[in-house]
């Protein structure tokens, strides 16, 4: 899926103006530079994005209760399933990274540039993934079978509010990202400052939860309280990178981590129903906190200056891999599990998913993402230029 991620210096806070790191934002690949040329790239964060996508892939192939294996995945892969049933946590890690990266791109950028950047990064690969899924469903009877109207509505990423079936099971996360982008767009419109970022990161999750508890469906839908704390953690971690350690920021991180722990504890029951196997709340919390700590390590900690450029290559495949793996993988598993050993089927499904992700990145995102972004930016600039004063 489809996310962005100054006051006078406070006592004890680092005020160094060293170049900030560059990172490819959220799920979409690093097909264009982030504002601020010459900054060192966070290669390890790119690699962490790929790890999160791989966890989601393994979760769908060997962790959930799908019957494409001719039985439950826990029967086909009993040892792997013990780990892969927790792969859904890759989505939560995506949201943390998105909070960091989208805020990074939002600083010192006009609203039209922010909107154009999001459109150019999200939609080309997404549209192609929809087209490929339609072709797949024409020759494979399994999986989802959305109507023609549902498929067209999927092109907007707004199919869920209209009650349309998502073409791919993972597409629901992109609407969550879009809601985060809406909040960040409002922040960009009024001006991104450290104080406003802290205020948003602290108040957004709390107000969302209050809206949910009070039964305000519209506000709850917009504020996505079940995922807001993950984005907020990433946003505040970016402030650590930008401004240095700060008590207010770390208190905000601590608050949101507590909210994340609460959400994961609740969700573990639902996750057990989905996987058909026990998903332990303690394991969910431990894994997520470890991954959140790793996000800090690769952005502000000891791994921030890791210079393995091949990690960025893997990061470039993250978004298309996330988009295409589920239906394609399920089709491969469904067609081959009776005639090919299970482990080999898993390797084939994974390899084909990665290969298709590489083709989409190489042939779609790299040539067409920047063009779409530039076209949207020109269109918004032209409208601004001709609007009455």
């Amino acid at each position: 899926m489809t996310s962005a991620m100054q006051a006078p210096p406070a006592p004890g806070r680092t005020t160094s103006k060293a170049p900030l790191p560059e990172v490819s934002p959220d799920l979409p690949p690093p097909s264009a530079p982030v504002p601020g040329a010459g900054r060192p790239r966070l290669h390890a964060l790119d690699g962490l994005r790929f790890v999160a996508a791989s966890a989601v892939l393994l979760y769908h192939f060997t962790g959930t209760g799908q019957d494409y294996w001719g039985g439950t995945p826990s029967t086909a892969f009993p040892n792997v399933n013990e780990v892969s049933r927790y792969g859904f946590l890759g989505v939560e890690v995506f949201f943390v990274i998105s909070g960091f990266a989208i805020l990074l791109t939002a600083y010192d950028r006009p609203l039209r540039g922010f909107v154009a950047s999001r459109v150019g990064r999200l939609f080309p690969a997404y549209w192609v993934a929809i087209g490929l899924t339609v072709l797949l469903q024409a020759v494979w009877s399994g999986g989802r079978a959305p109507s023609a109207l549902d498929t067209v509505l999927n092109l907007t990423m707004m199919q869920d509010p209209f009650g349309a079936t998502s073409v791919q099971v993972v597409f629901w996360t992109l609407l969550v990202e879009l809601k985060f982008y809406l909040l960040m767009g409002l922040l960009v419109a009024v001006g991104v400052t450290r104080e406003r970022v802290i205020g948003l990161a602290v108040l957004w999750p709390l107000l969302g939860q209050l809206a949910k508890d009070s039964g305000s469906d519209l506000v709850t839908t917009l504020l996505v309280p079940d995922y807001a704390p993950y984005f907020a953690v990433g946003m505040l971690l970016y402030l650590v990178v930008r401004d240095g350690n700060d008590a207010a920021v770390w208190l905000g991180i601590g608050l949101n981590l507590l909210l994340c722990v609460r959400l994961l504890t609740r969700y573990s029951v639902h996750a057990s129903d989905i996987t058909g196997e026990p998903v332990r709340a303690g394991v969910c919390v431990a894994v997520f906190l470890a991954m959140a700590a790793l996000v800090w390590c690769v952005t502000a900690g000891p791994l921030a200056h890791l210079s393995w450029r091949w990690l960025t290559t893997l990061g470039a495949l993250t978004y298309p891999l996330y988009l295409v793996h589920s239906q394609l993988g399920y089709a491969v598993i469904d067609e081959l599990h009776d005639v090919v050993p299970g482990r080999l089927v898993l390797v084939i499904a994974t390899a084909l998913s990665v290969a298709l992700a590489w083709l989409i990145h190489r042939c779609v995102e790299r040539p067409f993402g920047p063009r779409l972004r530039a076209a949207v930016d020109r269109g918004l600039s032209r409208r601004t230029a001709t609007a009455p004063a």
Side-chain angles (χ1 to χ4, degrees), residues 207-267:
L207 292 176
Q209 190 59 51
L210 288 174
K212 184 177 180 179
D213 291 342
S214 64
S216 178
D217 293 339
L218 176 60
V219 178
T220 300
T221 299
L222 291 174
L223 295 183
V224 286
D226 290 342
Y227 304 101
Y230 303 108
F231 292 106
V233 168
M235 294 167 63
L236 293 170
L237 284 175
Y238 173 68
L239 290 185
V240 173
V241 173
R242 182 180 178 89
D243 298 329
N245 290 310
D246 183 285
V249 172
W250 279 107
L251 285 173
I253 292 173
L255 169 65
N256 280 288
L257 285 177
L258 285 175
L259 297 177
C260 292
V261 168
R262 178 57 175 162
L263 290 171
L264 288 170
T265 301
R266 289 179 176 178
Y267 186 77

Side-chain angles (χ1 to χ4, degrees), residues 180-211:
F180 173 53
Y181 294 169
L182 175 61
L183 287 175
M184 290 304 302
L186 294 175
L187 183 61
V188 171
V190 300
V192 183
T193 66
R194 175 180 173 276
E195 289 76 13
R196 288 170 181 167
V197 170
I198 295 174
L200 178 61
V202 171
L203 293 178
W204 169 28
L206 296 178
L207 292 176
Q209 190 59 51
L210 288 174

Side-chain angles (χ1 to χ4, degrees), residues 4 35 102 104-118 184-192 373 377 380-381 384:
I102 301 306
L104 185 154
T105 65
Y107 258 99
D108 305 321
R109 168 172 276 181
L111 180 59
R112 73 167 190 271
F114 176 77
V115 173
S117 173
R118 297 302 91 218
M184 290 304 302
L186 294 175
L187 183 61
V188 171
V190 300
V192 183
R373 182 173 61 254
D377 188 76
L380 294 175
S381 300
T384 300

